Amino acid sequence: MAPVFSIHPDMDKMYQIRWNNYDRAPKSNWSVTKQTSWYRAARHYNEILKSREMWTKLEPGSALMFDNWRMLHGRSQFTGKRRMCGGYVNNDDYISRLRLLKFGRRKILNKLGSIGTKSDNPYWFI
């Protein structure tokens, strides 16, 4: 029952997408009208995603990295042997490293605890 789109309360920007067209919690506490509207919108959103999908065949030894909260991803059916190794980076660690690389250590340390404006705020990165 989690939302499909999560909006960051401080930045008013989307920071997470949860979408799996084949695995969805039932909308048991919604009216028929609300369910009909939601599923119509969900079909339309899925059509948009399908029209923009990209496929990449990974070769042995290839690595693929992406932000798991911001990029929709999956894999196709496969016949034969496949060995995949995955790893996860905590989102806070990812954001911390992104800020450090984008703004530098000194600016990050000088801005700790302050909100500021978009232009001078190293936390406004999305």
Side-chain angles (χ1 to χ4, degrees):
M1 294 293 292
V4 173
F5 304 112
S6 296
I7 307 297
H8 193 283
D10 296 329
M11 296 186 291
D12 198 30
K13 295 267 186 181
M14 183 174 10
Y15 72 96
Q16 186 178 34
I17 301 171
R18 291 182 188 94
W19 185 260
N20 182 343
N21 196 44
Y22 304 107
D23 182 20
R24 187 164 325 287
K27 311 295 186 241
S28 58
N29 59 343
W30 289 11
S31 69
V32 172
T33 303
K34 192 171 185 179
Q35 287 186 48
T36 302
S37 178
W38 193 93
Y39 281 108
R40 184 179 300 117
R43 276 191 299 277
H44 181 65
Y45 183 63
N46 200 61
E47 289 168 5
I48 292 169
L49 294 176
K50 291 293 242 178
S51 73
R52 290 169 169 80
E53 70 184 6
M54 297 184 326
W55 290 89
T56 300
K57 182 177 180 182
L58 298 177
E59 300 298 329
S62 297
L64 179 64
M65 294 177 59
F66 52 87
D67 184 344
N68 198 38
W69 280 22
R70 303 257 323 171
M71 182 175 184
L72 301 175
H73 58 281
R75 56 183 174 264
S76 63
Q77 185 176 353
F78 182 81
T79 302
K81 293 182 179 183
R82 167 166 56 186
R83 184 171 69 181
M84 295 179 64
C85 179
Y88 292 90
V89 175
N90 177 292
N91 196 56
D92 289 336
D93 294 337
Y94 175 84
I95 299 302
S96 177
R97 179 53 57 116
L98 176 64
R99 290 175 181 149
L100 182 65
L101 292 173
K102 186 171 181 178
F103 298 105
R105 182 177 173 81
R106 184 169 305 278
K107 187 169 184 177
I108 296 297
L109 291 174
N110 288 338
K111 291 291 183 177
L112 283 178
S114 65
I115 299 298
T117 63
K118 289 182 190 179
S119 61
D120 69 353
N121 184 353
Y123 298 101
W124 193 274
F125 63 93
I126 298 176

